[in-house]
Amino acid sequence: MAQISETRQTDTLPLPVAIANKSVAATELRPWGAFTVLEEGRGYKIKRIEVKPGHRLSLQMHHHRSEHWIVVSGTAKVICGDQEVLLSNNESTYVPQCTSHRLENPGVIPLVLIEVQNGEYLGEDDIIRYQDDYARTED
């Protein structure tokens, strides 16, 4: 016996113009893993960051933005100022503007996290690197 399915039109709200006109950025590869910009608007940017097991990002600082990190999967070793903490699934931390910080994956599976940046300027060139495993520090 054939099934008859009824389709109903549901009312949906249109996306705001700022979102509807933007496409998702391509994933950018880095020596430590990759990141994808999921959304960007005035004063904020949301990224999905994946860090390979045993790798870490630069010890760095940003003049113009703060960051919130939420762990989706894996384990994150976070250095923020003089504090060091291990985070796992569904745990988060805040990195204030002008604070040295580093993100590391000490585990054996990829670390996936969501990063929410807030600030007046969110460009990738707002990174002061103090130490880097991949020789990307300014001399």
Side-chain angles (χ1 to χ4, degrees):
M1 177 180 220
Q3 284 187 324
I4 299 173
S5 66
E6 181 182 326
T7 58
R8 285 186 223 164
Q9 182 176 1
T10 57
D11 294 328
T12 58
L13 296 174
L15 288 173
V17 174
I19 296 172
N21 291 339
K22 291 190 181 218
S23 61
V24 174
T27 297
E28 293 195 30
L29 301 178
R30 295 290 187 264
W32 44 262
F35 72 85
T36 304
V37 177
L38 302 176
E39 185 176 325
E40 185 171 3
R42 181 179 220 150
Y44 76 97
K45 185 185 292 187
I46 303 170
K47 290 181 176 179
R48 178 190 183 277
I49 297 175
E50 185 169 328
V51 183
K52 298 177 206 173
H55 288 258
R56 61 186 183 173
L57 284 67
S58 305
L59 178 61
Q60 58 187 254
M61 185 269 293
H62 310 288
H63 285 293
H64 303 286
R65 71 176 183 245
S66 62
E67 298 171 339
H68 292 265
W69 293 337
I70 303 105
V71 176
V72 174
S73 61
T75 302
K77 178 179 173 184
V78 176
I79 295 172
C80 186
D82 59 358
Q83 302 289 317
E84 183 177 307
V85 64
L86 283 178
L87 301 175
S88 56
N89 253 18
N90 203 30
E91 294 182 324
S92 63
T93 193
Y94 173 70
V95 179
Q97 184 175 319
C98 297
T99 303
S100 63
H101 60 280
R102 169 174 260 161
L103 177 63
E104 180 176 343
N105 180 354
V108 296
I109 65 168
L111 164 63
V112 177
L113 60 85
I114 300 299
E115 175 182 85
V116 180
Q117 301 176 359
N118 290 100
E120 293 179 21
Y121 178 73
L122 304 172
E124 288 300 309
D125 57 346
D126 181 29
I127 299 176
I128 306 299
R129 288 189 176 95
Y130 299 112
Q131 196 281 325
D132 184 72
D133 296 345
Y134 312 101
R136 297 177 298 166
T137 55
E138 294 82 21
D139 290 325

